[in-house]
Amino acid sequence: VKNSARHVEIFFQKLFILLGKVFWMLAKVARNVGGALLIFLSAAGAFVLSFGLTWQLSGGSIPNTPYTLSDFLVVSPTMQSLFVVSIYFLFLVPLLLFFSLGYSLLKKRALLSLPTLIFLLVLWFASLGVTGSTVFENWDTIKPMLQQINEQLS
């Protein structure tokens, strides 16, 4: 009985060692695939976002509507450009953080330093402030136009 119990103990030790190795191998694959996916998606998002920024700054209309951004905002052209750039940074900063996370997963080291992260956080909050204040300031113009667009699309 004592000998057979020892064999069962050895069997379970080897089984758990094997399961541990399989788990670590799957974790490595998931880390590499997840890191590569984060890098690819954040780079693609930054590309699309940059295209949208260029489109809006060049005066392109909002897709599926005859409106341009200047129809919604009663501000100077400089403030309108600042608004569009602030929206750009509002979305770009999280994409940069996702890119950094993907790189960190692949290389097992941090891409961004603490001062860089603090700078990105300050940039994001400044962009949020400019975007929010511009929308708040122009809400009386924006709301009826959004309702009109919603009615046209319904």
Side-chain angles (χ1 to χ4, degrees):
V1 174
K2 193 175 188 182
N3 196 16
S4 63
R6 179 71 181 140
H7 287 298
V8 170
E9 179 184 347
I10 291 172
F11 169 75
F12 279 112
Q13 282 179 346
K14 289 182 179 182
L15 177 67
F16 284 119
I17 288 171
L18 177 67
L19 288 175
K21 287 181 180 180
V22 168
F23 173 77
W24 282 115
M25 186 175 62
L26 289 175
K28 275 184 171 181
V29 169
R31 186 188 75 225
N32 289 335
V33 169
L37 194 61
L38 278 172
I39 287 174
F40 174 74
L41 291 176
S42 61
F47 174 75
V48 169
L49 195 59
S50 297
F51 179 76
L53 172 71
T54 306
W55 182 268
Q56 283 302 315
L57 288 178
S58 67
S61 64
I62 298 170
N64 300 323
T65 68
Y67 302 110
T68 62
L69 189 61
S70 59
D71 295 331
F72 288 88
L73 301 175
V74 185
V75 293
S76 68
T78 303
M79 187 62 194
Q80 182 178 336
S81 297
L82 183 63
F83 174 71
V84 172
V85 171
S86 71
I87 290 175
Y88 177 73
F89 282 122
L90 199 61
F91 288 100
L92 183 66
V93 169
L95 289 173
L96 288 174
L97 294 177
F98 283 128
F99 184 88
S100 173
L101 177 63
Y103 180 86
S104 298
L105 285 173
L106 285 177
K107 297 295 183 181
K108 297 185 200 175
R109 66 181 187 93
L111 177 64
L112 300 176
S113 64
L114 184 60
T116 305
L117 286 173
I118 291 172
F119 171 75
L120 288 174
L121 187 64
V122 168
L123 178 64
W124 188 81
F125 275 112
S127 298
L128 182 65
V130 170
T131 303
S133 64
T134 305
V135 169
F136 182 75
E137 206 174 280
N138 289 280
W139 184 245
D140 292 335
T141 308
I142 294 172
K143 186 177 179 181
M145 295 191 82
L146 288 178
Q147 289 172 342
Q148 185 180 4
I149 291 172
N150 193 20
E151 290 171 4
Q152 288 176 354
L153 294 176
S154 297

